[in-house]
């Protein structure tokens, strides 16, 4: 919808809050596989390359869990699952078989095996299970990054607060976000039950997903409003809209601060009797 020059997009709200900031458009992380096949005498070394890359990917995940998992319990749960997938004998056997029997390079074997698994999950009718394809894509990227020796550091070099606009964010990318610099995000893909959405809620980062084409409609440096409560994105808002949403952003920040103050208070009655407080959603 276009209103007085502003463009309003609606998606799926997955993490509440309001943010008005400049956009940082994150390019889709893709890997060019330079070679698909090896000669028979290179097969053993290619299997070794795959195993080494798998070990390094596991180290990356373990380091992420150690660094961030102490503050965010969901990171431990999600990435323990990633380690289990990396160690899955069926998947590893399939990749190594492709290298040995079909002379695939390690990266081509990884790409082929993970594409099949990702397409299988994408085709599932159950929304929870269909969203798990992002986890397999995340692991595939880690393996390919190690095999091709590509480490992307563009988000590590941010010098100011921004909102991320992307085709999608993997659970790893989300867990590694510096919440002091990346204060919100919006993506083309995603759903309420994805691990990316769960992490955004846990980390307190307002987010809207399922916007389909937002990454093609926003340019780096554009001012945008992300309303993670209503699932609304406003591109190039006018001054009145900016002021209105900045007031909402400040009100939300103040409310969250007040709730965080309550977080560490003892759970007891006024006369000192302790209580157990539970929530069932």
């Amino acid at each position: 919808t276009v209103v007085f020059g502003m463009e309003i997009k609606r998606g799926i709200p997955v993490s509440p809050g309001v943010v008005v900031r400049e956009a940082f458009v994150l390019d889709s992380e893709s890997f060019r596989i330079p070679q698909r096949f090896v000669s028979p005498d290179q097969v053993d070394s290619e299997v070794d390359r795959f195993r080494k890359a798998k070990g390094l990917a596991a180290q990356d995940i373990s380091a992420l869990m150690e660094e961030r998992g102490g503050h965010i319990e969901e990171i431990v749960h999600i990435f323990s699952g990633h380690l289990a997938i990396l160690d899955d004998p069926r998947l590893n056997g399939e990749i190594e078989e492709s290298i040995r029997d079909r002379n695939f390079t390690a990266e081509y074997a990884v790409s082929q095996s993970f594409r099949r698994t990702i397409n299988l999950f994408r085709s599932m009718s159950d929304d929870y299970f269909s969203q798990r394809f992002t986890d397999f894509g995340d692991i595939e990227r880690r393996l390919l990054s190690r095999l091709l020796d590509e480490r992307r550091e563009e988000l590590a070099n941010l010098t100011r607060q921004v909102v991320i606009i992307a085709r999608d964010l993997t659970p790893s990318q989300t867990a590694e976000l510096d919440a002091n610099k990346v204060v919100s995000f919006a993506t083309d893909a995603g759903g309420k039950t994805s691990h990316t959405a769960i992490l955004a809620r846990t980390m307190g980062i307002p987010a809207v997903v399922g916007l389909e084409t937002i990454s093609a409609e926003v340019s780096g440096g554009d001012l945008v409003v992300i309303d993670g409560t209503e699932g609304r994105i406003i591109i190039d808002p006018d001054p009145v809209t900016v002021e209105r949403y900045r007031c909402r952003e400040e009100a939300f920040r103040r409310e969250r601060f007040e709730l965080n103050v309550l977080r560490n208070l003892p759970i007891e009655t006024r006369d000192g009797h302790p209580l157990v407080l539970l929530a069932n959603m």
Side-chain angles (χ1 to χ4, degrees):
T1 307
V2 178
V3 180
F4 302 116
M6 303 182 297
E7 187 172 0
I8 302 172
K9 304 279 291 182
R10 296 187 182 274
I12 303 169
V14 295
S15 184
V18 175
V19 169
V20 184
R21 293 290 190 284
E22 285 187 7
F24 181 96
V25 180
L26 186 65
D27 291 332
S28 177
E29 189 169 319
S30 59
F31 295 91
R32 185 180 65 86
I33 297 175
Q35 185 180 356
R36 293 188 174 190
F37 301 98
V38 294
S39 60
D41 63 327
Q42 294 176 299
V43 163
D44 287 340
S45 63
E46 207 63 14
V47 171
D48 288 341
R49 282 185 66 233
F50 165 65
R51 291 177 178 176
K52 181 180 178 182
K54 187 178 70 169
L56 291 172
Q59 288 177 22
D60 291 341
I61 294 171
S62 296
L64 174 60
M65 291 168 62
E66 186 175 342
E67 180 184 349
R68 307 297 297 275
H71 308 290
I72 305 171
E73 187 177 347
E74 280 79 359
I75 286 180
V76 176
H77 294 313
I78 291 168
F79 292 103
S80 293
H82 284 208
L83 287 174
I85 292 170
L86 263 182
D87 210 30
D88 177 53
R90 184 201 62 79
L91 188 59
N92 287 313
E94 182 180 291
I95 291 170
E96 292 193 15
E97 183 179 327
S98 293
I99 297 172
R100 293 190 187 280
D101 295 350
R102 305 174 71 180
N103 288 35
F104 282 179
T105 60
E107 41 273 89
Y108 190 52
V110 165
S111 179
Q112 290 291 296
S113 292
F114 273 87
R115 288 299 100 189
R116 281 194 292 271
T117 305
I118 287 168
N119 289 334
L120 174 66
F121 273 87
R122 266 187 171 144
S123 66
M124 292 181 179
S125 57
D126 183 280
D127 185 56
Y128 177 82
F129 285 107
S130 68
Q131 288 298 321
R132 298 288 76 78
F133 81 86
T134 58
D135 294 279
F136 284 89
D138 196 350
I139 299 163
E140 179 195 14
R141 287 185 181 94
R142 280 195 184 278
L143 285 169
L144 291 177
S145 176
R146 283 302 190 174
L147 284 165
L148 298 168
D149 197 26
E150 293 187 27
R151 305 300 299 275
R152 295 175 183 258
E153 303 292 343
E154 51 194 341
L155 286 179
N157 298 321
L158 292 172
T159 57
R160 65 188 188 284
Q161 289 189 338
V162 298
V163 297
I164 295 293
I165 306 295
R167 191 189 66 78
D168 200 4
L169 286 177
T170 67
S172 289
Q173 287 173 313
T174 308
E176 291 169 349
L177 292 177
D178 180 352
N180 293 317
K181 293 288 192 299
V182 178
V183 292
S184 181
F185 68 79
T187 61
D188 297 342
K192 280 184 176 291
T193 59
S194 70
H195 281 157
T196 296
I198 292 168
L199 286 171
R201 288 193 292 274
T202 304
M203 296 166 70
I205 299 175
V208 180
V209 302
L211 287 151
E212 298 183 348
T213 58
I214 192 71
S215 65
E217 297 180 38
V218 175
S219 300
D222 284 353
L223 188 66
V224 297
V225 173
I226 297 185
D227 184 343
T229 305
E230 300 293 332
R232 183 184 296 116
I233 307 295
I234 304 175
I235 306 168
D236 291 327
D238 62 32
V240 174
T241 302
V242 168
E243 182 61 27
R244 183 169 76 250
Y245 276 95
R246 281 189 171 147
C247 289
R248 290 183 58 187
E249 179 181 354
E250 175 59 23
F252 187 84
R253 187 201 64 76
R254 191 164 52 246
E255 180 184 27
R256 189 161 62 182
F257 174 79
E258 292 169 355
L259 289 173
N260 281 332
V261 170
L262 296 175
R263 181 194 301 271
N264 296 317
L265 293 178
I267 304 171
E268 60 184 23
T269 60
R270 289 185 177 181
D271 55 353
H273 288 281
L275 299 172
V276 177
L277 181 63
L278 303 172
N280 184 6
M281 296 179 66

